Amino acid sequence: MLEKILTLDTELFIYLNSLGSETYDGLWLFITKQINWIPLFLLLGYLIFKKLGTKQTLYLLLFVAILLIITDQTTNLFKNGFQRLRPCNNPGINTFIRVVKKSNSFSFFSGHAANTMAVATFIYFNFKGQIKYLGFLFLWPLIFAYSRIYLGLHYPVDILTGYLCGFVFGFLMFKIYKVVQRKYFPQ
């Protein structure tokens, strides 16, 4: 059963990865760099600041930082535990897939997918109904994580598992934040 899932995962990866072309490689390399998402982070920070003020915004950002540390370290535990080769390092497929970027760390599961989904989930549940069109925030993890497939760095299961992990951690951190917020910032 697991072997069948991994085979389907590899086949889906090969299909999605093959959709790329050199024309768009620069765009996807730009998308995959966290630093290039700073305008989105600044916009979110501004919107949050407008809703919460300075003290509560800093408090919320502390929770985001803790969330990222937990999610990132969990990702590293899984990567080092499973030691699944990235597609770009897999000798069974790396000679015929598009390898736009290389990395020597392991593949399962995607830290990019987990971290972005965790933050998007946390922010969404904290501000749904307060910030118009906030659901569009989930485009960020979708685009960001797809860049990893495009570049030859992750399989689809790596991305989906990262999404699941990120969603669970983001939602749990939201619940914890709400308890602490009621205690220190009663409305």
Side-chain angles (χ1 to χ4, degrees):
M1 177 70 162
L2 180 61
E3 195 61 41
K4 178 74 171 163
I5 291 171
L6 292 176
T7 299
L8 290 172
D9 188 35
T10 301
E11 290 171 2
L12 182 57
F13 166 80
I14 291 168
Y15 171 75
L16 293 172
N17 175 262
S18 73
L19 296 175
S21 75
E22 286 185 30
T23 305
Y24 299 107
D25 289 354
L27 171 68
W28 290 102
L29 284 165
F30 179 85
I31 286 171
T32 205
K33 290 183 184 173
Q34 293 95 328
I35 196 163
N36 295 326
W37 290 90
I38 287 177
L40 173 67
F41 306 149
L42 292 174
L43 174 63
L44 285 173
Y46 172 75
L47 294 172
I48 291 167
F49 172 77
K50 293 283 285 180
K51 295 289 178 190
L52 299 179
T54 305
K55 187 173 182 181
Q56 285 189 56
T57 298
L58 292 173
Y59 192 64
L60 181 124
L61 291 176
L62 173 64
F63 273 77
V64 169
I66 293 167
L67 173 61
L68 286 171
I69 290 168
I70 291 169
T71 305
D72 201 54
Q73 292 310 305
T74 301
T75 300
N76 289 335
L77 282 172
F78 273 78
K79 282 183 179 185
N80 292 324
F82 283 92
Q83 297 187 355
R84 183 182 193 190
L85 291 177
R86 289 181 182 267
C88 61
N89 298 327
N90 182 341
I93 63 171
N94 70 355
T95 57
F96 61 87
I97 63 169
R98 297 186 78 256
V99 177
V100 182
K101 184 175 178 172
K102 288 191 129 278
S103 176
N104 291 323
S105 63
F106 295 111
S107 184
F108 183 79
F109 53 87
S110 169
H112 283 74
N115 289 333
T116 56
M117 185 59 79
V119 172
T121 300
F122 179 76
I123 298 296
Y124 177 79
F125 280 107
N126 271 292
F127 297 100
K128 70 178 181 174
Q130 297 179 44
I131 299 175
K132 203 172 190 176
Y133 307 117
L134 188 60
F136 284 111
L137 180 60
F138 287 101
L139 289 175
W140 169 43
L142 291 174
I143 295 167
F144 196 47
Y146 176 74
S147 74
R148 311 305 285 170
I149 293 172
Y150 182 98
L151 298 173
L153 296 168
H154 281 293
Y155 296 95
V157 165
D158 301 339
I159 301 298
L160 294 174
T161 305
Y163 283 158
L164 178 62
C165 176
F167 181 84
V168 168
F169 283 146
F171 187 75
L172 290 174
M173 187 61 76
F174 159 72
K175 290 295 194 179
I176 293 166
Y177 175 75
K178 283 300 176 189
V179 169
V180 175
Q181 186 185 40
R182 278 191 292 274
K183 183 176 179 178
Y184 293 104
F185 297 106
Q187 296 179 4

